[in-house]
Amino acid sequence: MSAIIRDHAGAVLLVEHRHDDAWQLPGGVDEDVRQLPCGVAIVAELPHVALGRKIRMTTGLHVSAGPLLVVDYAQAEPGVTPGRIDFVYDGGAAGRTEDLLISAELTNYTWALVNDFGTLIRPPMECRIRQALGALATGATACLVEGQPVHSGQG
């Protein structure tokens, strides 16, 4: 789970986690999870509530998760990774002047404009973010597989 958090100029907040040197959206799951064949269930906590808590713990931002923007299915790689479903919520706007906390889980953060995505973000994450921004504009949740849009009748 993650959230699109924008500044007033439309730049998107990206974070770097200690366990992965790639820029990502803030969010994630923590130790209180149960793995399912196609996703993660938070124990005793609603997903959008867990997301707000996780963002607050890692960045210091108080975010109330808004509408669901993207559902992205990552297929299983037998013997390597289980399949999972990632959810991207609208995290609203935050001012760049707000001091962000860099928790022990993060190494850095940046605000990136759409034109800068290609130099910062891996292609599947870039597509997921672009689809989430499109969903903000249209009001329709984007359904993806491996970061790519799934069209009606496709399977």
Side-chain angles (χ1 to χ4, degrees):
M1 279 185 302
S2 56
I4 290 278
I5 301 171
R6 302 156 325 275
D7 71 2
H8 299 293
V12 174
L13 177 63
L14 300 173
V15 296
E16 272 186 319
H17 290 269
R18 291 205 181 280
H19 66 274
D20 186 358
D21 63 353
W23 289 105
Q24 302 174 27
L25 294 171
V29 295
D30 57 1
E31 59 281 350
D32 297 328
V33 300
R34 286 193 187 135
Q35 292 292 335
L36 300 176
C38 62
V40 176
I42 305 300
V43 177
E45 194 171 38
L46 295 171
H48 66 283
V49 173
L51 177 61
R53 178 183 52 78
K54 186 68 173 181
I55 291 172
R56 187 171 48 260
M57 286 173 40
T58 57
T59 68
L61 290 175
H62 292 267
V63 171
S64 293
L68 179 63
L69 302 175
V70 170
V71 176
D72 191 1
Y73 174 69
Q75 297 182 16
E77 294 180 47
V80 180
T81 60
R84 70 172 203 262
I85 298 175
D86 291 320
F87 301 96
V88 179
Y89 290 88
D90 179 6
R96 275 197 198 202
T97 57
E98 293 183 39
D99 290 327
L100 295 183
L101 165 78
I102 298 293
S103 73
E105 294 181 34
L106 303 179
T107 58
N108 205 354
Y109 74 91
T110 190
W111 294 92
L113 293 168
V114 173
N115 294 340
D116 299 326
F117 287 173
T119 60
L120 291 173
I121 308 169
R122 292 179 183 156
M125 179 61 71
E126 179 180 359
C127 185
R128 186 182 296 163
I129 293 172
R130 287 181 183 276
Q131 291 292 322
L133 292 171
L136 277 169
T138 65
T141 301
C143 294
L144 311 177
V145 173
E146 305 287 346
Q148 298 301 313
V150 176
H151 303 287
S152 182
Q154 187 178 356

